[in-house]
Amino acid sequence: MAKVKQGPGSFLFPMPVVLVGANVKGKANFLSIAYVGIVGHAPPMIEVAIRKNRFSSDGIKENKAFSVNAASAAMVEATDYCGIYSGAKVDKSQVFEVFYGELRTAPMIEESPFNLECKLAKVLDLGGSHEVFIGEIVEAYSSEDYLSDGRPDLAKIEPIVYDGGSLSYWTLRDKLAHAFQIGKDYQP
Ligand SMILES: Cc1cc2nc3c(=O)[nH]c(=O)nc-3n(C[C@H](O)[C@H](O)[C@H](O)COP(=O)(O)O)c2cc1C
């Protein structure tokens, strides 16, 4: 099949959207992030890439803490809002109901189905547009309504997926197969 070059863009399919929480000047602030990923298992680590000098960045560095909150389909308007407007211009502390965990300075979103409370482990400057904030996940919180058999249920969470090409938000659809099982007897 012919390949059509798209240029060296930051493509990834699917690209989830999450809400990153930080206390800035003593107030909770949330920004929408698509550049997010798990980078370790033991201890559990996550990265969020934030454009240099964003309002949230100082708060994360000052408190050495941040949160990563799942954005579900029901939260799409509020998520877009937090990705359009900066805390430097508007007060985003009232957009969501906020709760705190053991770190005390990583604001988390009550109405989000799933929250990760993170202790800042490292800030990486790769020389480009963004800084990479790496956090150790010290606790994960799941809202009861989004669990099945005690475990987070992706179908209930309905995470938002971002398509940078068409500037649109999507949801995921069906479960495809069992992981670590469907490929067992595959004959390449
Ligand atoms: C769908 C979407 C994805 C975004 N992803 C990122 C991202 O990965 N990194 C980033 O620095 N900004 C990203 N932004 C932009 C920030 O969310 C936006 O600039 C926000 O207003 C910054 O908030 P703050 O100034 O209060 O920190 C995204 C915005 C949207 C709408």
Side-chain angles (χ1 to χ4, degrees), residues 141-180:
Y141 304 84
S142 183
S143 306
E144 274 183 344
D145 288 355
Y146 297 88
L147 298 175
S148 293
D149 300 326
R151 303 189 64 85
D153 185 331
L154 195 64
K156 291 180 180 171
I157 293 172
E158 273 201 290
I160 299 172
V161 172
Y162 174 61
D163 176 20
S166 63
L167 294 181
S168 50
Y169 297 115
W170 293 65
T171 53
L172 298 170
R173 240 190 283 150
D174 305 320
K175 174 170 156 183
L176 179 63
H178 271 289
F180 301 104

Side-chain angles (χ1 to χ4, degrees), residues 10 21 35-36 39 74 97 117 119 121 134 144 151-152 161 172 177 183:
S10 48
Y35 296 175
V36 54
V39 291
E97 200 178 316
E117 186 179 16
K119 187 171 74 179
I134 300 178
E144 274 183 344
R151 303 189 64 85
V161 172
L172 298 170

